[in-house]
Amino acid sequence: MFNIEYELNGITFNTINRAAGIVTGYVLQTSVGIFANVGVKYTTQVLPEKHGNISYPSYLDSRAIILEGYIIGSNEADLNIKWARLNRAVSILSEPLPLKFKPAGMPPMQVNVKLQDVPDIQNNFDLGPFVAEFKIPLIADDPFIYSQAFHEATAYYQAALGGLVVPTPVAATLKLSTSSGSLCQNRGTVNAYPKFLLYGPITNPQIIAGTGKQLTVHLDIPADNYLLIDTNERLVLLNGTANRYHVISGTFFTLEPLVTTLIKVYGITDTAAKVVVQWRDTWI
């Protein structure tokens, strides 16, 4: 197994065994399901379809993950403390939390998991007097694997400046007199679902992807207000709370994998206004 460090709700698991120098701690022997293929689940019960065509009754099935390994204590009291910590950490997973890990040669990743069944933790005296083994069954209703890094690019208006400024390897800001644009790169293997934060004052802005798809916002967003558009959850919220889904027309577009997408925004005519694009690299 690769030497991958996993982290879940404050508990750090290491995949190196005791022979390699791990004396105490949480040692993960297997992590079944994290990189397994995900099937397609056919249903018409859960709508709207978020990760495919809403007119086609299918979406990806959940991702089942099982973490198996050992708790190694330096003495009986230390083992009991570590045992209790692990129990507390996983017992509250009724709502999804990120299981974080970094495969060899890949960026840090995460998948959002919750507890699928009761974890099994028991002593294993064959391995030592202060060793317990654990088996933690998890489920990721959202089967996608995401980058831990949350990428962000900003489009804004500055009539006095032109040209291209590249502040980071994955984001750029294009300053134009009539429109602004951001270069967004999804380094995963499947489409990423971005969020847009439109900060006023902006009137009836248009967000257009390099693919030609566009979103039009039929709304006057005043100064000191913002509109959140979440293309994954299909949410349109003024100041993060008030529903404004009805002001949107067009397509909730995605960022294609391994492609740099130019997203242009029309309607920014005030230097106080800006549009922020946020996304995570996405794998399956």
Side-chain angles (χ1 to χ4, degrees), residues 13 26 71 82-90 121 134 136:
F13 303 89
Y26 304 93
I71 309 171
K82 288 181 169 61
W83 189 323
R85 279 193 64 214
L86 182 59
N87 251 333
R88 285 197 301 269
V90 300
I121 307 176
F134 63 81
I136 305 172

Side-chain angles (χ1 to χ4, degrees), residues 66-257:
I66 299 176
L67 302 181
E68 293 184 281
Y70 304 100
I71 309 171
I72 305 171
S74 56
N75 52 51
E76 184 175 359
D78 184 49
L79 174 62
N80 289 337
I81 290 171
K82 288 181 169 61
W83 189 323
R85 279 193 64 214
L86 182 59
N87 251 333
R88 285 197 301 269
V90 300
S91 64
I92 67 169
L93 292 177
S94 57
E95 295 295 329
L97 286 177
L99 171 62
K100 300 178 179 180
F101 53 96
K102 187 184 185 306
M106 298 291 288
M109 299 176 172
Q110 66 183 43
V111 59
N112 297 316
V113 299
K114 61 183 180 181
L115 199 61
Q116 186 179 29
D117 204 346
V118 178
D120 182 17
I121 307 176
Q122 51 188 297
N123 290 105
N124 189 325
F125 296 109
D126 293 336
L127 295 178
F130 313 123
V131 178
E133 58 183 352
F134 63 81
K135 181 177 182 179
I136 305 172
L138 304 169
I139 191 76
D141 292 329
D142 176 356
F144 289 103
I145 298 171
Y146 299 100
S147 63
Q148 291 182 30
F150 199 56
H151 305 305
E152 187 172 282
T154 304
Y156 54 97
Y157 173 84
Q158 277 189 308
L161 296 176
L164 187 65
V165 178
V166 184
T168 71
V170 297
T173 300
L174 183 63
K175 303 167 186 175
L176 301 173
S177 59
T178 57
S179 66
S180 297
S182 294
L183 296 173
C184 305
Q185 185 182 44
N186 168 23
R187 294 175 294 180
T189 56
V190 295
N191 289 7
Y193 289 76
K195 293 180 180 179
F196 299 97
L197 292 162
L198 293 78
Y199 293 90
I202 309 176
T203 300
N204 300 330
Q206 286 184 307
I207 305 172
I208 302 176
T211 56
K213 295 180 179 179
Q214 72 176 52
L215 273 173
T216 300
V217 180
H218 307 279
L219 183 68
D220 182 4
I221 305 170
D224 299 321
N225 287 256
Y226 72 93
L227 187 73
L228 166 66
I229 302 175
D230 187 330
T231 63
N232 181 36
E233 297 295 336
R234 300 294 197 266
L235 293 174
V236 182
L237 301 174
L238 183 63
N239 297 323
T241 56
N243 181 28
R244 291 295 185 271
Y245 191 91
H246 61 281
V247 306
I248 295 293
S249 65
T251 304
F252 285 91
F253 54 79
T254 58
L255 303 179
E256 296 180 8

